[in-house]
Amino acid sequence: MYVSVQNEVFDFSKEIEQFSKKLNNVGALVTFTGIVRGKKSETLDFMFIEHYPGMTENQITSMINNAVKRWNINDALVIHRYGKLEPGEPIMMVATAAEHRREAFEAAEYLMDYLKSRAPFWKKEVINGKEKWVDATVDDELALDRWNKF
Amino acid sequence: MVDLIYFSWIREKIGKPSESIETNATTVAELLEELMKKDIRYSEVFADQDLFRVAINQELTNFDASILNAKEVAFFPPMTGG
C-alpha cells in the first residue's frame, strides 16, 4: 500500500512505474488521475485544497483496507495533493492492482467515490479573483450508496 | 480541556483554526449548544446541523456522540476530495 498526502506536484507516470515494480502475480493494473480543470466560460485562477492532517491519512488507509478485503486486490496506491493547485495540474491519483480487471476497476471506483466524500479534504476555487468553497453534491453521497447495496 | 478544530468556511467564519476550551458538555450536541450561547459567530455557523459534520479524535461520528474521551473535536462541511 502506498498513501501520500502531499503539496508537491507528482508525475503520474513515474509513480505508476514505481508502484508496478513491486507487484507480483498481477493481471490488471488500473490507474486514475484527477486534474484541475478550468471552468467553462469562467477562468479558474487556481484551486486551494485544505485537509485534516492525520485523519486524512487514516481515512485513506482504512478505505484501502476495505477495498483489499472486498475485492481481494493485491495492492493499491493513493496520492492526494493539498495547498495551491494550478489548472492542468494533477490533484490526485488512484492505482489498484489485482489478478483480474473487474476487481481492479471496481476497487479503483470505490476508492475514488470514498475519497470524494469521506476523506477530509475541502476545495476552494478562485475564479476571476473571487474565492468560493466547492459544495458537496447529492450525487457524491449517492455514489457511496451503490457500494452499500450488496 | 478539549481541542476544537475547524475547517473550510467554518474556520473562516469562526476566525481561527482551533482553540482549547473547558467544557461541561458530555455530547457533541451539548457542546454545540454551549458554543452557540457563547458568541454569535458560533450560533451563525452551527445553526443548521445539516450543513456540517463532526469528528471526534479524528473519527467521523454524529451529534449524539459522547465527548467524555475526546481530545480533539473537529467541525467541518461535507468533504470535497477527489
Side-chain angles (χ1 to χ4, degrees), chain A residues 4 39 92 130:
Chain A
S4 176
K39 287 238 164 169
M92 50 82 75
K130 275 191 194 158

Side-chain angles (χ1 to χ4, degrees), chain A residues 101-120:
Chain A
R101 75 185 151 93
R102 187 176 302 277
E103 289 75 20
F105 271 116
E106 283 196 2
E109 279 210 79
Y110 168 90
L111 288 174
M112 281 156 357
D113 285 343
Y114 271 80
L115 280 167
K116 188 137 219 127
S117 37
R118 289 295 180 272

Side-chain angles (χ1 to χ4, degrees), chain A residues 89-136:
Chain A
E89 284 184 3
I91 303 176
M92 50 82 75
M93 77 175 279
V94 164
T96 52
E99 216 169 316
H100 301 285
R101 75 185 151 93
R102 187 176 302 277
E103 289 75 20
F105 271 116
E106 283 196 2
E109 279 210 79
Y110 168 90
L111 288 174
M112 281 156 357
D113 285 343
Y114 271 80
L115 280 167
K116 188 137 219 127
S117 37
R118 289 295 180 272
F121 291 100
W122 299 277
K123 289 191 185 113
K124 178 187 262 184
E125 290 176 339
V126 182
I127 296 168
N128 296 327
K130 275 191 194 158
E131 296 184 355
K132 190 188 176 303
W133 288 102
V134 174
D135 288 323

Side-chain angles (χ1 to χ4, degrees), chain B residues 30-80:
Chain B
E30 287 176 22
L31 173 65
L32 286 171
E33 259 177 60
E34 223 179 72
L35 288 169
M36 288 167 77
K37 278 183 202 149
K38 197 163 99 172
D39 191 294
I40 190 167
R41 278 174 307 164
Y42 298 100
S43 48
E44 281 172 3
V45 167
F46 296 129
D48 186 349
Q49 294 195 353
D50 288 339
L51 298 184
F52 64 97
R53 304 277 183 268
V54 59
I56 295 179
N57 301 337
Q58 307 199 349
E59 294 276 350
L60 270 178
T61 185
N62 54 54
F63 297 112
D64 299 329
S66 165
I67 59 163
L68 294 176
N69 296 314
K71 284 190 200 126
E72 180 170 311
V73 180
F75 296 104
F76 42 78
M79 298 142 171
T80 52

